Amino acid sequence: MMAFPLQIAWDNSYAAQLGEFYVSCLPAAAPEPTLLQLNRRLADELGWDVAAIDPGAAARLFSGVELPAGTQPLAQAYAGHQFGGFAPQLGDGRALLLGEVIDRHGRRRDIGLKGSGPTPFSRGGDGKAAIGPVLREYLIGEAMHACGIPTTRALAAVATGEQVMRERPLPGAVLTRVAASHVRVGTFEFFAARDQQDRVRRLADYVIARHDPELVADGDRYLRLLASVAERQASLVAGWMLLGFIHGVMNTDNMAVSGETIDYGPCAFMEAFDPQAVFSSIDHGGRYAYEKQPAVARWNLARFAETLLPLFDAEAPADAVGKATEVIEQFMPRYEAHWLAGARRKLGLAAESRDDEADTRLVQDWMTLLARHQVDWTLAWRKLADAAEGSPESVVSLFGPSPEVPAWLARWQQRWDAAGPVVADRLRRVNPIYIPRNHLVEESLAAAGDGDLAPLERLLAAVSRPYDERSELAEYAEPAPLEFTSRYRTFCGT
Ligand code: AMP
Ligand code: MG
């Protein structure tokens, strides 16, 4: 085999510093790796010589068939609360961390494979992934990124040439995932559950050095780590809510301490606004419904705080529990502050406003109208720009006859601090016209399963520039037929 043409400077801090936190493990050999997608812009961001990556070499690298010098493939240990119940051992059962690189901006990024075969954490699973879930994660992750939401990214998708057995045989694939790190709340839980406080401390020190370096020498660093993770989650979940994103499986093993969205399984975008929307086929009780997401994030943070309690005790023996509780209690106010700031931007209002209460009421009244008339979340916000330009018909018509909508629009206009066209311009920069509409996602994945990648690539092109309206993409802005949405169920990507 030819020498691998790409020079990659690996710098594997997790492998080097946290020896007891993982198991070394090699990817399974994909019989016939074929490149499905390569994210050249992201490869370039990583500082990789994009021109040197031909499709064959990329397929070998991003399926794990060929491991460049310097990679140290490993499966990370983690536990997790899944739907409220504690599972003491989960771990990377179908994923491997290949290593870390420092990108062009000096940021440390994990490079991992998902679907690369069994590991010691597979618990009877095959460690593999089917092409549909792999491309789904690729598409939705990239759409989230384009909308400014912190998220793991997709670098490549490769078909393995092997069938994986699900309800029926499906073509197998591997996703290459790039993440700020893969440390989860569940990683802390794994060691805390085994009463290994020394390891919890080492993990906390590792996370502080990696994600919160300004805390390294802080006397209260563990408490401040909790506050910092809480702040990132408050901001992240506010971003999800404003975008209409439902993660679907917010277990603690799917909450990254970096503040990135991780693990796109049964996630979906809401269409007609319904605070109780749930799409996941396994979420029978609606635990992870749209409107529950902030409260679940807070619940997960309380589980994180519990793992750190012995460290707080050493830091502030007088009132460790009280101080940690204070941080957790600050979560909702911090979430609401992020949410209101984002909602103001979505209404085109100046970031600084003197009247939080009036603005909150204005947004809430708007959302009440959206819910009552079951209006498409994304379109309604987007069309506010037309109203700002003096053509309210396009937004009014989304609601059907309702005198309340013009009344609300008039109230909204009174809050403007700039001329209509200026407001419209602001609105179109923050309210996407293209999101991965569930029906289009499913159509494009079905086509990809049949070997036709064109619909996926068109959809990817639309959602990669979500604010930039293009006349040829009109159908991508349209909601699914109601029939589709009411029956829509999403599945975990296993
Ligand atoms: P998830 O809910 O998809 O985040 O996964 C939860 C746990 O199940 C993790 O420990 C995964 O590694 C594991 N898992 C999911 N799918 C598979 C699979 N096909 N083979 C082995 N382990 C899996
Ligand atoms: Mg997971």
Side-chain angles (χ1 to χ4, degrees):
M1 196 181 288
M2 245 172 21
F4 194 73
L6 197 57
Q7 291 299 317
I8 300 172
W10 298 92
D11 181 357
N12 305 331
S13 67
Y14 199 93
Q17 295 170 34
L18 297 175
E20 304 89 341
F21 294 60
Y22 63 83
V23 182
S24 294
C25 181
L26 290 174
E32 205 183 313
T34 315
L35 187 65
L36 297 170
Q37 284 299 302
L38 175 61
N39 192 337
R40 288 185 178 271
R41 282 182 59 184
L42 180 56
D44 182 56
E45 195 176 305
L46 296 173
W48 297 3
D49 177 9
V50 183
I53 315 181
D54 71 80
R60 291 196 302 280
L61 170 62
F62 298 123
S63 59
V65 163
E66 186 170 315
L67 290 175
T71 50
Q72 287 166 284
L74 59 88
Q76 294 179 329
Y78 56 83
H81 276 87
Q82 301 190 306
F83 292 92
F86 186 60
Q89 179 166 320
L90 296 167
D92 284 335
R94 60 167 160 179
L96 290 174
L97 177 63
L98 289 182
E100 299 152 39
V101 299
I102 309 296
D103 74 11
R104 280 191 198 280
H105 308 288
R107 293 174 304 197
R108 179 175 294 280
R109 317 277 292 261
D110 273 8
I111 313 292
L113 302 179
K114 193 166 170 185
S116 49
T119 78
F121 298 111
S122 295
R123 295 173 296 151
D126 60 3
K128 310 233 160 133
I131 185 174
V134 162
L135 291 175
R136 197 160 194 284
E137 176 156 350
Y138 193 115
L139 185 64
I140 297 187
E142 289 308 291
M144 294 283 275
H145 172 72
C147 287
I149 308 288
T151 175
T152 64
R153 304 279 307 275
L155 180 59
V158 176
T160 57
E162 182 180 66
Q163 299 284 101
V164 296
M165 281 311 297
R166 297 296 181 257
E167 292 96 59
R168 60 194 168 92
L170 295 168
V174 176
L175 178 79
T176 301
R177 178 159 75 179
V178 177
S181 84
H182 283 83
V183 178
R184 308 137 191 272
V185 168
T187 320
F188 283 85
E189 290 181 293
F190 184 92
F191 299 101
R194 288 161 180 75
D195 215 14
Q196 296 172 332
Q197 286 168 27
D198 181 52
R199 290 185 183 174
V200 173
R201 180 187 302 273
R202 280 172 55 205
L203 184 62
D205 286 337
Y206 176 85
V207 168
I208 288 170
R210 186 159 175 177
H211 296 298
D212 297 282
E214 68 288 356
L215 302 182
V216 166
D218 196 300
D220 285 332
R221 62 182 172 282
Y222 301 120
L223 200 60
R224 294 193 57 195
L225 170 66
L226 173 64
S228 178
V229 172
E231 179 65 16
R232 289 194 280 267
Q233 289 297 329
S235 164
L236 177 68
V237 175
W240 291 356
M241 299 299 279
L242 292 167
L243 194 57
F245 175 76
I246 305 170
H247 182 285
V249 57
M250 285 179 73
N251 295 332
T252 56
D253 51 301
N254 291 335
M255 184 188 264
V257 298
S258 66
E260 286 183 342
T261 313
I262 191 169
D263 274 358
Y264 293 93
C267 59
F269 282 81
M270 195 168 50
E271 299 217 316
F273 180 47
D274 167 12
Q276 275 133 43
V278 177
F279 293 105
S280 168
S281 63
I282 56 169
D283 191 0
H284 306 296
R287 180 180 170 91
Y288 300 140
Y290 171 80
E291 69 178 356
K292 301 272 186 62
Q293 295 185 118
V296 173
R298 182 184 186 277
W299 191 90
N300 288 351
L301 286 165
R303 305 290 79 72
F304 180 44
E306 283 163 4
T307 72
L308 299 176
L309 270 181
L311 311 191
F312 302 152
D313 253 333
E315 244 170 17
D319 190 18
V321 173
K323 285 191 170 156
T325 306
E326 240 169 68
V327 175
I328 301 300
E329 279 173 359
Q330 276 305 307
F331 176 80
M332 278 302 174
R334 291 302 304 144
Y335 162 76
E336 274 155 23
H338 283 291
W339 181 86
L340 182 58
R344 273 191 187 123
R345 281 194 297 276
K346 282 177 82 70
L347 287 182
L349 305 182
E352 298 294 320
S353 162
R354 279 176 220 300
D355 199 342
D356 281 5
E357 240 174 77
D359 283 357
T360 302
R361 258 199 317 277
L362 185 69
V363 189
Q364 271 166 356
D365 291 348
W366 167 242
M367 286 170 48
T368 301
L369 287 172
L370 294 180
R372 189 178 307 150
H373 297 268
Q374 298 184 19
V375 178
D376 184 83
W377 176 262
T378 305
L379 271 188
W381 290 95
R382 178 75 186 189
K383 296 215 177 216
L384 284 176
D386 300 342
E389 278 173 339
S391 314
E393 311 76 38
S394 74
V395 65
V396 170
S397 67
L398 295 173
F399 291 81
S402 160
E404 293 162 305
V405 177
W408 184 89
L409 290 172
R411 245 174 88 200
W412 168 54
Q413 185 165 356
Q414 280 164 14
R415 298 281 302 122
W416 296 354
D417 66 322
V422 175
V423 173
D425 189 50
R426 282 184 201 158
L427 290 165
R428 291 196 182 102
R429 283 169 209 254
V430 294
N431 293 307
I433 180 161
Y434 307 118
I435 54 158
R437 297 267 175 195
N438 302 319
H439 66 297
L440 298 176
V441 172
E442 297 305 325
E443 268 168 38
S444 73
L445 298 185
D450 293 334
D452 178 10
L453 288 167
L456 176 90
E457 286 172 355
R458 275 201 301 276
L459 183 54
L460 199 52
V463 300
S464 297
R465 282 162 53 201
Y467 306 112
D468 180 7
E469 183 165 6
R470 284 154 279 170
S471 54
E472 71 279 13
L473 296 178
E475 65 179 297
Y476 290 82
E478 291 302 316
L482 253 166
E483 240 288 280
F484 176 92
T485 303
S486 62
R487 282 184 292 105
Y488 189 52
R489 289 290 166 274
T490 55
F491 300 89
C492 282
T494 45

